[in-house]
């Protein structure tokens, strides 16, 4: 299968390889934004190739053994926590276990994310096998999600073609039922949207990760989707068997609650990677969008003690521009690129040991960022002031 190709306005050609890697040819300069007050929607005065050149060469190296050491660490922690919970089985330990185990499941997902991009290893088979193994405990259909996530990176920041946390247009928003609006745009309900996304796709769309004939997938990708769906079904069947063999209550305590903590982590981190900055971030469509400008709409965040636990998932902007960089080089690559990025890099607020400040950030964003205009090539989120009013308080 030949890699899909497209054109980046003002930034050369790009493509996405079958193994999830990306290549970009940068031949032209973008328009200089000038010296006036900074506007994040103005095309940047640098090329993607210039950012690439600023990043040390060793940051591009994918070391299978180094990646595997993180996978072994995370699996060891997951099994040790599970064994301790079953052995201690005390009311005071369960909340500690749920928080710790949910966090470690999220860490496993981040490693599966590396596999989806082909940066866990130089070997595609290793990426596929490890990706399947590390995403099985968190009920993610690896191949299907790998494909949809490829779409997300290929068209990041594009209202019409992006895949994850893409804004709904005003017309779609107006046609949503009240329950859908409340669940999606009310904190903390929005932190539980991941299972819905896997089954139905982004809000306002119908793109199941379990249907090989979904518009998410090409005919050549259907076999991989079927494999993911069969593996997912077998995992669910195993959990059902465990509920009978060991008791439903124990399964809920050992697995289900940590899984929900994992979902909250995933939705919190991925939402903030594309929303929630103090200054609103532009979204593009049509001729205004290109790969570089779309990548610059993403944001980094600091997670305090959790940065290393979840493999520096907060270093997101450089990851979107160059997803082939392994997670263990992301911080260094970001540091090297920052002088060139200038104000296009939104410096994250420094976190204490626990990133409690991010709860307020996502709560504010969810209550504010509701929809974008149906028209215009550069748009920003708008707010529905009546969303959280009681029905009798809304204007007729």
């Amino acid at each position: 299968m030949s890699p899909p190709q497209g054109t980046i306005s003002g930034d050369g050609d790009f493509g996405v390889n079958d193994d999830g890697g990306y290549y970009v040819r940068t031949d032209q300069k973008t328009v200089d934004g000038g010296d006036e007050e900074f506007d994040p929607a103005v095309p940047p005065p640098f090329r993607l190739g210039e950012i690439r050149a600023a990043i040390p060469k060793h940051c591009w190296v994918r070391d299978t053994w180094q990646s595997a050491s993180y996978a072994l660490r995370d699996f060891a922690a997951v099994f040790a926590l599970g064994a301790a919970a079953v052995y201690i089985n005390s009311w005071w330990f369960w909340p500690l276990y749920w928080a710790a185990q949910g966090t470690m499941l999220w860490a496993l997902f981040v490693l599966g994310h590396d596999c989806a991009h082909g940066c866990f290893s130089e070997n595609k088979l290793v990426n596929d096998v490890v990706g399947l193994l590390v995403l099985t405990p968190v009920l993610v259909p690896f191949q299907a999600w790998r494909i949809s996530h490829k779409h997300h990176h290929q068209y990041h920041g594009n209202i019409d073609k992006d895949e994850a946390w893409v804004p709904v247009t005003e017309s779609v928003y107006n046609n949503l039922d009240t329950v859908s609006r409340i669940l999606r745009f009310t904190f903390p309900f929005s932190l539980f949207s991941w299972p819905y996304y896997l089954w139905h796709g982004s809000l306002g769309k119908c793109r199941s990760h379990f249907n090989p004939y979904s518009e998410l997938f090409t005919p050549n990708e259907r076999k991989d989707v079927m494999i993911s769906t069969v593996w997912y079904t077998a995992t669910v069947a195993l959990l059902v068997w465990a509920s009978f063999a060991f008791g439903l209550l124990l399964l809920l305590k050992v697995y289900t609650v940590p899984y929900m903590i994992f979902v909250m982590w995933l939705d919190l981190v991925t939402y903030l990677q594309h929303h929630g900055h103090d200054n609103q971030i532009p979204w593009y469509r049509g001729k205004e969008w290109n790969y570089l400008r779309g990548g610059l709409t993403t944001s980094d965040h600091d997670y305090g003690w959790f940065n290393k636990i979840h493999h520096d998932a907060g270093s997101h902007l450089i990851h979107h521009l160059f997803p082939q960089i392994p997670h263990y080089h992301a911080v260094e690559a970001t540091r090297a690129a920052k002088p060139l990025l200038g104000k296009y890099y939104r410096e994250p607020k420094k976190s204490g040991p626990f990133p409690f400040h991010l709860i307020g950030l996502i709560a504010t964003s969810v209550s504010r960022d509701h929809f974008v205009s149906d028209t215009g090539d550069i748009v920003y989120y708008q707010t529905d002031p009546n969303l959280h009013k009681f029905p009798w308080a809304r204007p007729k």
Side-chain angles (χ1 to χ4, degrees):
M1 175 178 157
S2 59
Q5 298 189 24
T7 300
I8 297 178
S9 173
D11 234 21
D13 296 329
F14 76 96
V16 184
N17 299 322
D18 288 339
D19 64 358
Y22 292 66
Y23 60 87
V24 183
R25 292 196 298 271
T26 53
D27 306 319
Q28 305 172 35
K29 287 277 189 180
T30 52
V31 179
D32 193 325
D35 295 323
E36 299 177 0
E37 183 178 353
F38 176 70
D39 179 358
V42 172
F46 47 77
R47 299 178 300 179
L48 197 63
E50 292 172 312
I51 306 173
R52 173 187 284 272
I55 298 172
K57 291 183 179 179
H58 67 265
C59 289
W60 306 90
V61 175
R62 294 170 285 182
D63 187 329
T64 302
W65 292 109
Q66 185 173 0
S67 298
S69 69
Y70 291 108
L72 291 173
R73 182 203 75 174
D74 290 355
F75 270 122
V78 167
F79 283 113
L81 285 168
V86 173
Y87 178 77
I88 297 174
N89 193 16
S90 175
W91 64 268
W92 63 267
F93 187 74
W94 285 113
L96 300 176
Y97 165 76
W98 294 332
Q101 190 70 296
T103 300
M104 292 312 304
L105 292 179
W106 161 238
L108 280 179
F109 177 89
V110 177
L111 293 181
H113 171 261
D114 266 17
C115 294
H117 284 294
C119 59
F120 186 93
S121 171
E122 297 277 355
N123 187 299
K124 183 180 185 301
L125 180 62
V126 171
N127 287 317
D128 287 347
V129 171
V130 176
L132 186 67
L133 292 176
V134 299
L135 292 188
T136 293
V138 292
L139 294 179
V140 175
F142 172 68
Q143 292 291 355
W145 175 75
R146 176 187 63 79
I147 295 167
S148 71
H149 193 65
K150 178 183 69 176
H151 294 170
H152 167 53
H153 272 262
Q154 188 173 354
Y155 296 109
H156 47 210
N158 187 312
I159 298 166
D160 300 320
K161 298 181 179 181
D162 200 348
E163 176 55 32
W165 290 116
V166 58
V168 297
T169 60
E170 185 172 8
S171 58
V172 170
Y173 179 86
N174 289 335
N175 287 320
L176 293 175
D177 59 86
T178 301
V179 174
S180 294
R181 290 189 195 180
I182 294 296
L183 292 179
R184 168 61 180 81
F185 301 105
T186 304
F187 184 83
F189 301 124
S190 49
L191 291 183
F192 297 94
S193 63
W194 171 250
Y196 176 92
Y197 168 70
L198 287 180
W199 282 96
H200 299 283
S202 299
L203 192 63
K205 301 179 180 180
C206 186
R207 296 178 173 181
S208 173
H209 286 72
F210 302 99
N211 178 8
Y213 293 92
S214 166
E215 63 182 43
L216 275 172
F217 313 116
T218 66
N220 289 334
E221 295 167 337
R222 288 172 183 164
K223 181 179 178 180
D224 286 340
V225 178
M226 290 179 184
I227 293 173
S228 286
T229 300
V230 169
W231 189 272
Y232 180 95
T233 303
T235 305
V236 173
L238 180 63
L239 290 172
V240 172
W241 170 84
S243 70
F244 287 100
F246 304 105
L248 180 59
L249 180 59
L250 185 61
L251 180 68
L252 290 172
K253 292 191 295 185
V254 172
Y255 179 76
T256 306
V257 177
Y259 171 78
M260 296 309 298
I261 299 295
F262 149 73
V263 167
M264 293 174 68
W265 264 116
L266 188 152
D267 284 323
L268 170 72
V269 175
T270 59
Y271 182 93
L272 289 177
Q273 288 169 344
H274 301 276
H275 305 75
H277 197 265
D278 291 339
N279 299 315
Q280 286 218 11
I281 299 171
W283 285 81
Y284 303 101
R285 57 164 63 96
K287 60 183 178 60
E288 290 292 346
W289 179 86
N290 64 47
Y291 183 86
L292 176 57
R293 294 176 78 183
L296 293 176
T297 65
T298 60
S299 294
D300 287 8
H301 293 282
D302 182 21
Y303 293 87
W305 285 348
F306 296 97
N307 285 328
K308 293 304 178 185
I309 295 175
H310 69 189
H311 309 295
D312 293 309
S315 298
H316 199 63
L317 188 150
I318 206 68
H319 164 70
H320 255 273
L321 294 179
F322 306 108
Q324 62 270 49
I325 295 178
H327 75 266
Y328 41 83
H329 293 314
V331 172
E332 182 181 0
T334 299
R335 190 182 305 118
K338 279 170 59 176
L340 183 62
L341 294 171
K343 291 185 179 180
Y344 288 91
Y345 179 78
R346 288 167 279 275
E347 191 72 39
K349 181 179 179 181
K350 192 68 177 176
S351 174
F354 299 96
F356 293 125
H357 68 289
L358 296 178
I359 298 176
L361 194 61
I362 189 174
T364 298
S365 177
V366 167
S367 65
R368 179 192 65 192
D369 301 336
H370 296 156
F371 59 85
V372 296
S373 173
D374 290 286
T375 60
D377 289 346
I378 301 177
V379 295
Y380 293 83
Y381 271 108
Q382 300 180 46
T383 303
D384 176 5
N386 300 310
L387 176 63
H388 297 108
K389 290 182 178 179
F390 291 107
W392 57 83
R394 298 172 184 167
K396 300 293 184 181

